[in-house]
Amino acid sequence: MGSIQAWKALAQVWYPRMYRLAYRYFNDSEMAQEVSQQTMVQAWENVHQLREPAQFSAWMYRLLWNQCHQMNRKVAQQQRQQQDLDNLRNPLSSSDADESLLQQERERLIKRALTYLPSEQRQVVLLKEYEQLTFKEIAQVLAISENTAKSRMYYALKALRKRFDQWNITSQSLLL
């Protein structure tokens, strides 16, 4: 009975984190919910395989990324890109628009741009920028070297700049 109570406490902490990251990864609440639930079920079923309790955090993130990869394989890339192109036909609106609307638009553009990144780069950006993990922690979560994490971040930022250039969006307009 104690393990169920402990698991409920862990789930209350970890499910929202998994959902938040999955939502940022997919920019879709249904997919984020499905992936988060699958991650929690997989964690419950396999928690006995965790050898080092200190590695629980990295293990949970790894489970989530694996679920995200599986979900990604189900979604046709061409369909997603076509939808993204259709949604991006309206670049940033006029300068006299309300700041909250501009902020929402910026966030939408960033989320869309992230979907164009290879999964490995997107993971690093999300963990670094949204979860504020260090490169050392990212390396641990993704089971890669710290230099590989830094390299993926470098190439992700370069690709994002290129994507914004293609959309005729300057980094300044995103920061304003």
Side-chain angles (χ1 to χ4, degrees):
M1 187 60 118
S3 65
I4 291 175
Q5 297 293 7
W7 181 256
K8 284 182 180 179
L10 278 172
Q12 284 181 329
V13 171
W14 278 94
Y15 180 82
R17 291 173 88 173
M18 297 293 101
Y19 176 83
R20 213 173 35 248
L21 257 180
Y23 183 80
R24 288 179 178 141
Y25 186 88
F26 291 113
N27 197 29
D28 181 285
S29 59
E30 287 181 28
M31 291 173 72
Q33 185 176 13
E34 184 176 339
V35 165
S36 300
Q37 289 173 353
Q38 290 172 349
T39 300
M40 296 307 293
V41 168
Q42 186 179 17
W44 168 254
E45 291 173 347
N46 297 297
V47 72
H48 64 279
Q49 295 176 356
L50 183 62
R51 302 278 183 246
E52 296 181 42
Q55 298 296 318
F56 183 79
S57 175
W59 181 70
M60 286 296 293
Y61 285 123
R62 208 169 296 123
L63 290 177
L64 177 71
W65 292 133
N66 289 339
Q67 290 295 330
C68 287
H69 287 311
Q70 287 178 3
M71 180 65 75
N72 245 357
R73 285 190 280 272
K74 294 177 185 177
V75 177
Q77 182 179 7
Q78 186 177 29
Q79 183 182 24
R80 184 185 75 227
Q81 288 178 349
Q82 184 59 48
Q83 179 185 0
D84 288 344
L85 289 174
D86 292 343
N87 290 335
L88 287 170
R89 299 229 187 267
N90 295 325
L92 292 174
S93 53
S94 68
S95 61
D96 60 356
D98 180 53
E99 180 58 33
S100 65
L101 291 176
L102 284 174
Q103 182 61 29
Q104 289 174 359
E105 183 70 5
R106 285 183 205 113
E107 289 174 13
R108 186 181 72 81
L109 288 169
I110 291 169
K111 286 176 184 177
R112 295 287 183 223
L114 285 171
T115 65
Y116 284 92
L117 291 177
S119 181
E120 295 82 13
Q121 292 176 8
R122 190 175 342 147
Q123 290 171 346
V124 173
V125 170
L126 292 174
L127 288 171
K128 182 71 175 154
E129 297 303 319
Y130 291 99
E131 292 297 309
Q132 278 82 45
L133 296 184
T134 65
F135 284 114
K136 184 177 182 179
E137 292 168 326
I138 292 169
Q140 185 180 29
V141 166
L142 299 178
I144 58 176
S145 74
E146 194 171 337
N147 284 337
T148 299
K150 290 176 182 178
S151 175
R152 287 180 183 176
M153 183 67 156
Y154 170 80
Y155 287 109
L157 294 175
K158 186 175 177 180
L160 288 172
R161 275 188 216 102
K162 183 177 178 182
R163 178 63 58 186
F164 292 136
D165 286 347
Q166 289 173 343
W167 293 338
N168 294 320
I169 299 169
T170 64
S171 58
Q172 286 295 48
S173 65
L174 290 171
L175 297 174
L176 294 176

